Structure formats: C-alpha cells, structure tokens
Amino acid sequence: MKPSGLRLAWRFARRELRGGVRGFRIFLACLALGVGVIAAIGSVRASIEAGLASEGAAILGGDAEMEFTYRFASAAERAWMEAAADMVSEVAEFRSLAVVGQERALTQVNAADSAYPLIGAVALIPEMPLQTALAGSDGLPGAVMERVLSDRLGLEPGDSFRLGTQDFRLMAVIAVEPDAAASGFALGPRTLVLTEALRNSGLLEPGTLFSTKYRMDLPAGTSLAALEAEAREKFEDTGMRWTDARNGAPGIAEFVERLGAFLILVGLSGLAVGGVGVSAAVRAYLASKTATIATLRTLGAERGTIFLTYFLQIGALSLLGIALGLLLGGIGPVLLGPLIAAQLPFPAVFSVYPSALAEAALYGLLTAFIFTLWPLARAERIREIGRAHV
Amino acid sequence: MPTSDPILSLQDVDLSLIGNAGRVDILHGISLSVTAGETLGLTGPSGSGKSSLLMVMGGLEQATGGTVSAAGHDLTAMGEDALARFRRAHMGVVFQSFHLIPTMTALENVATPLELAGHKDAFARAAEELEAVGLSHRTRHYPAQMSGGEQQRVALARAAAPRPKLLLADEPTGNLDEANGTAIMDLLFGLRDRHGATLVLVTHAAGLAARCDRVIRLRDGRIDADAAQEAAE
C-alpha cells in the first residue's frame, strides 16, 4: 500500500467514524475492562515492587545482610563486616518450644544483640523501648512475643515462660516488627530475646539448628553490588548467603511476582473471552457496512483500500478502548491506594507505572488485532454492488 | 454523437448463478456491440435479465460464459482489483436506490471516485459537478438530509465526475416521482451530451427508452428485439 493509499484509507475511515461509537459499546467495554484489569494488576504489582525496593533497607533491618547456617560468623567474617559497615547487628534465628507449666507452643525465636534493629523500630504493647524490655526484670531476662503466642500460652506481660533451660519474663507483646516481612515463612509466632540471655539455654550450641543474620548499616554511597561481589569472592566457600536492600524481601518479591503473573493470566483469560465479544461486534459492524463497502468497490476501491479503511477504523476504536482501560487500570489503584495499602503486610508505593500500562496496552492491542483480523479479512471480500444490492 | 468504434462488446455471454434453490440461468448467449457515444436503452419485463446484463457490462457480475470487452479491456479475464481500477478509470454507474455513502456529505460522495483515482483536485471537481446538477447549496448535507430526487442528482454527479467513457444507469428514476424522474433523466442525458459518454440505460418506461439511440428488449435472458439492428436491417 502506497502512502497515498494509506492517507486515502484514513480519510475514508475518519468519515466513517462520524457515526460515533454507537454499535461499538460492547466492543469498547470488552476491551476497556480487559485492559483495565490487566493494567490494575500490573500497577498493584509494580506498586508493591516499588514499595519493597524503596523500603528494602527497613524491611531487611539493614542495608545488607550476610546469613550463615548452624554457626556464628567467624572472626574474619565479622572483621570484614565491621570494616565495611558503620554498624553491624547480629540476629540468631531458630525454632523452639515456649513452655509455661504443661503448655507448650512452637515459636520462632529471634535472638538479637543490643544494636537490633539497625533500621526502623520495634513497637511494643505496652509501649517501652525494646532494649528495656529485653533487659527483663526481677532477675529474669526479658522477652517480647507476638500476641497470638502469648494468648495461646495464656501469658500476660510480667509472666514468665521457658525457652530450653532458660526462664524469661514476658515484658510486652510485639505490635510492629520492622524486619518481619524479610524473614519470610515462619513455622511459629515470633519471640524476641537477647542472644546473651540464651547463653545458658543450650539452644545455640554446636549441632543445634539455627541460622545467624548479620545486618549491616553501610556508609552512604556504598555500592551494594560491589560490596556483594567482594563478599562473595572473599567468603565463597563458607556457605554465606547475601541479601541487600535492592531486594530486601526476596520471598515477598517472588510471591508478588508469581501472584501477579497468575492474576495477569486471569486478566488475559478475561480479555480472551472479551475478544469473542470484540470479534462479534466487529462482525456486526461490518455487516452493517456491507452496502457502503459494496459502493466503494463499485466506485473503484481496491481490496487493500477497503481492508485498510476498516482496519484503521477498528484500530482507532481499539485505541479508544485501550485508553479507557488504561485510565481505569492506571488511576484506579492510585485512588484506592490507601485502602489497598491498609490490607497489605508490606509497603507499597501507589503511583502510575508506565511499564504496567504498556504491558496492558500491548495485551489489548494483541487481543484487538487477533480478534478483529478475521472479520476484517472478510470485509475486503465484500463484492461491489451487484444484483443483491440494486 | 455515436462513432463506429465499439466501446462495449459482448460475445455469446451467459450468466448463471447458484443460489439456495440451485442453479439459475439468467442470461443466454447474449451478443451485442455498443459504439462509442451511443445511448442504449435496455427494456423488458421484470426478471428478463436487464439489470444483470448491465452488471455484466460494468464488470459488476462475472459472466459465466462468453466474453465481455469494454473500452479495449477484456472484463472476463480481469481480477476483482483490476476491475475496480477499470471502473474508476472508465465507468460511472447510477442505481435505482442511489447507493450514496451515508456518513459522507454530498461533496464527499461525489469526490470519492475522484479521490480513488488519485485526482488532487477531487473536491473542486466534485463541487463543479454538484453545481451542474443544481446542488451547489447542498454540498455539506448528508444523504439522510436530502430528498430522493436530490440524492439521485448527487449519484448522477458522482457517476459523471471522473468523466467516464461509459455511463451505466439502472432504472435511475425507479424510486422517484414523475417530476423528479423527468428532471433526473434530463440531467442524465445532459451530462452524457456534455461529456460525450456512452450511456446504457435500464428502464421500464417506454418514454425514456424512446430518448435512446437504440433500444434492446430482453425476454427470459435473451435479446428479443434490437431496435437499432432492426432499423438498420
């Protein structure tokens, strides 16, 4: 098709579009809703990803983290971390049974040092500083735990319970734990104590199942990528695992990624079902245009001109439907952001994300293309005015 | 005025169509020749094949047998796009039910064949044609805003605008009252005279047929009488 042919087809298409969108409401609704759903899902996913990225350090409890299994960091590892960071915090994690009399409940114990948490703050009920709570009272070291565990054991602040061979006094329940999201899947509700207090518990001995995490508060301007590369090179064979603020909660990020992909598939299925409506609407429209097409053929329009004329019309209407969908799916999550954020256990930054909208637009275009091409191909086969039309 | 050169020639043309009820034979062994500048009237009872013959002459229906030549082109050997190009270069068609494009103004309707043919002055020429049929004040009106007579005048202007060698008219007054019908026929013959085109006119009206240089009467898809031939004989 020559450029002049394209211009001519566009001129004819514009004239045909004067009829407005009457007869195209279903077409527009199918496309707008399908694109809108995908755009909304993509926007929410991007919002969560942005939230995880921007709050990565807070979620992780530091700018970077080195994790070891069944052991504490060696002196060399510790020295390297302290050289690289302004501050280092050590947390040991393991599962244990909290015991009150005959009652036992599984708990995920986080044994921290006095620097914990490096970033953010643990909020307690009743309100008190974490280190005050962990210092304990009446000769017993302190502990804080999640409400669900204290309720399960019938504990109130001031009561005592046992971990291993060590007694603790429950000082408060945890309201907010900044690095909870980064810990990922836990078998039991969390209990927070000082590592030092476990010295006589027998729970952190060689051969017991625990892991240690060293969170680092790095100087401003530190290259996380370079530091990671250095750590991996230096401690390649030590079983060290590296996490940093660029992806502070890989478990959540992966979950959100998978859930997003699944929901996009659901949206695509909706778009495909809507595509049937799109196809039917185009067929009905072209059927109503049979006389016009036959007239154009009689006046000397070639098949290519006819195809292009209606392809451009449907294309323009598809763009309108997609634009409506993007408006719905792009603006909707921003308007509903505060409501959605309140339901999410991790941070999200609600905004308009062009990549999410572009993805939805692409799916919309493909759907419109696939479901309109066949009826459009039939339009160019409409013949000139013959006996059937006179 | 007619010259001796044939602009339209049909040799042993058959037309059969396959419908739900089976095969229907519409035209049988039609042979005729039309000279350039001639006005030919096609008459006959309903179902005699007048409109079908006109469609075959214009390449709007493909003959199932025989050959059709128009303006030096063998229409039976041409594909759909080649026929479309042929029509826009050589042919104007007027129908009983106007067949204007409803979403286009009168001016755009008339300009359409000129635009398809690539004329840069399509709209200026279309405006001239509309003026020639007395509709210069209706250029911006859509078909639905015009009377039947006005719509047919737009259709006439559209058919005449590309200065075709062949003008085909299928009962152009069939949907009009007598006064409008007469006006349309005056315009049609006037346009033909002005542009020197060959006119083939399908009509039931004996009065209109009488205005043609030659009249062919059809019956059951066959030529029943050819007034010019008979006169010549």
Side-chain angles (χ1 to χ4, degrees), chain A residues 8 11-12 15-16 18-19 289 292 295-303 305 383-387 389-390, chain B residues 17 52 55 60-61 80-81 84-85 87-88 95 97 99 101-104 108 112 115-116 123 142 158 170:
Chain A
L8 182 63
R11 222 180 299 156
F12 288 159
R15 290 174 195 167
E16 286 282 80
R18 284 175 187 156
K289 290 292 175 186
T292 296
T295 301
L296 286 169
R297 298 280 293 142
T298 302
L299 296 176
E302 293 169 55
R303 289 158 60 117
T305 306
R383 291 205 48 199
E384 51 283 298
I385 295 169
R387 289 168 312 98
H389 304 96
V390 292
Chain B
L17 296 171
S52 295
M55 298 297 152
L60 299 168
E61 288 285 357
E80 283 186 33
D81 278 345
R85 287 191 292 272
R87 278 193 298 274
R88 75 187 183 207
F95 297 97
S97 42
H99 284 293
I101 296 173
T103 54
M104 294 190 192
E108 288 163 349
T112 295
E115 290 179 284
L116 284 166
F123 282 87
Y142 290 91
R158 182 178 69 183
D170 188 7

Side-chain angles (χ1 to χ4, degrees), chain A residues 107-144:
Chain A
T107 178
Q108 174 85 20
V109 180
N110 275 20
D113 58 12
S114 59
Y116 174 87
L118 284 181
I119 296 174
V122 176
L124 300 172
I125 302 170
E127 248 178 76
M128 66 177 74
L130 177 66
Q131 294 307 322
T132 306
L134 297 185
S137 68
D138 303 329
L140 284 181
V144 294

Side-chain angles (χ1 to χ4, degrees), chain A residues 129-204:
Chain A
L130 177 66
Q131 294 307 322
T132 306
L134 297 185
S137 68
D138 303 329
L140 284 181
V144 294
M145 61 174 57
E146 289 185 62
R147 167 82 67 190
V148 64
L149 181 61
S150 62
D151 287 350
R152 160 84 178 75
L153 292 169
L155 290 173
E156 291 294 332
D159 294 344
S160 64
F161 66 98
R162 174 168 289 213
L163 288 174
T165 58
Q166 175 68 51
D167 285 327
F168 287 89
R169 188 166 307 285
L170 178 67
M171 300 295 290
V173 293
I174 300 169
V176 176
E177 193 185 1
D179 57 345
S183 301
F185 178 71
L187 278 176
R190 218 173 305 277
T191 300
L192 195 54
V193 297
L194 281 176
T195 310
E196 204 178 278
L198 290 169
R199 196 175 304 274
N200 300 318
S201 67
L203 293 169
L204 292 175

Side-chain angles (χ1 to χ4, degrees), chain B residues 33-48:
Chain B
S33 182
V34 183
T35 52
E38 192 175 15
T39 55
L40 170 67
L42 295 176
T43 65
S46 294
S48 59

Side-chain angles (χ1 to χ4, degrees), chain B residues 37-79:
Chain B
E38 192 175 15
T39 55
L40 170 67
L42 295 176
T43 65
S46 294
S48 59
K50 310 181 293 293
S51 290
S52 295
L53 179 57
L54 192 81
M55 298 297 152
V56 168
M57 288 173 171
L60 299 168
E61 288 285 357
Q62 279 286 10
T64 46
T67 57
V68 180
S69 298
H73 295 79
D74 180 0
L75 303 192
T76 47
M78 291 163 77

Side-chain angles (χ1 to χ4, degrees), chain A residues 18-367:
Chain A
R18 284 175 187 156
V21 296
R22 211 174 43 243
F24 271 97
R25 292 197 183 103
I26 290 175
F27 175 94
L28 290 173
C30 290
L31 214 48
L33 281 176
V35 170
V37 166
I38 293 176
I41 292 167
S43 295
V44 171
R45 185 178 63 181
S47 303
I48 294 171
E49 284 169 352
L52 292 177
S54 69
E55 299 291 317
I59 292 169
L60 187 63
D63 295 318
E65 177 188 277
M66 287 170 74
E67 184 179 356
F68 303 95
T69 307
Y70 310 145
R71 70 178 179 89
F72 288 93
S74 66
E77 289 160 345
R78 184 87 200 199
W80 181 84
M81 286 185 267
E82 281 169 358
D86 288 339
M87 210 176 219
V88 178
S89 168
E90 176 194 84
V91 178
E93 288 184 358
F94 58 95
R95 282 175 289 281
S96 184
L97 287 173
V99 181
V100 180
Q102 297 301 310
E103 287 293 328
R104 292 160 188 269
L106 187 66
T107 178
Q108 174 85 20
V109 180
N110 275 20
D113 58 12
S114 59
Y116 174 87
L118 284 181
I119 296 174
V122 176
L124 300 172
I125 302 170
E127 248 178 76
M128 66 177 74
L130 177 66
Q131 294 307 322
T132 306
L134 297 185
S137 68
D138 303 329
L140 284 181
V144 294
M145 61 174 57
E146 289 185 62
R147 167 82 67 190
V148 64
L149 181 61
S150 62
D151 287 350
R152 160 84 178 75
L153 292 169
L155 290 173
E156 291 294 332
D159 294 344
S160 64
F161 66 98
R162 174 168 289 213
L163 288 174
T165 58
Q166 175 68 51
D167 285 327
F168 287 89
R169 188 166 307 285
L170 178 67
M171 300 295 290
V173 293
I174 300 169
V176 176
E177 193 185 1
D179 57 345
S183 301
F185 178 71
L187 278 176
R190 218 173 305 277
T191 300
L192 195 54
V193 297
L194 281 176
T195 310
E196 204 178 278
L198 290 169
R199 196 175 304 274
N200 300 318
S201 67
L203 293 169
L204 292 175
E205 301 300 322
T208 57
L209 300 177
F210 69 98
S211 62
T212 52
K213 292 177 174 176
Y214 294 84
R215 277 84 182 256
M216 290 174 273
D217 183 10
L218 299 169
T222 303
S223 164
L224 290 171
L227 197 65
E228 180 187 3
E230 188 186 331
R232 288 194 187 285
E233 189 189 349
K234 213 167 184 65
F235 308 113
E236 192 182 3
D237 301 321
T238 63
M240 180 274 293
R241 289 193 296 280
W242 177 276
T243 311
D244 62 47
R246 290 173 297 174
N247 187 12
I252 295 174
E254 195 175 331
F255 170 73
V256 169
E257 178 69 31
R258 285 184 184 172
L259 186 66
F262 171 72
L263 290 175
I264 292 268
L265 271 179
V266 172
L268 273 178
S269 307
L271 203 51
V273 173
V276 177
V278 165
S279 185
V282 172
R283 271 202 305 275
Y285 176 69
L286 292 174
S288 75
K289 290 292 175 186
T290 302
T292 296
I293 295 169
T295 301
L296 286 169
R297 298 280 293 142
T298 302
L299 296 176
E302 293 169 55
R303 289 158 60 117
T305 306
I306 297 293
F307 176 82
L308 211 51
T309 297
Y310 287 90
F311 179 81
L312 290 173
Q313 281 181 62
I314 302 300
L317 287 163
S318 299
L319 290 180
L320 178 63
I322 289 167
L324 286 173
L326 294 181
L327 204 64
L328 280 174
I331 303 292
V334 175
L335 294 178
L336 297 174
L339 286 176
I340 301 171
Q343 303 300 317
L344 292 174
F346 30 78
V349 179
F350 288 95
S351 179
V352 174
Y353 291 96
S355 60
L357 301 188
E359 185 184 22
L362 178 69
Y363 288 138
L365 279 174
L366 283 174
T367 303

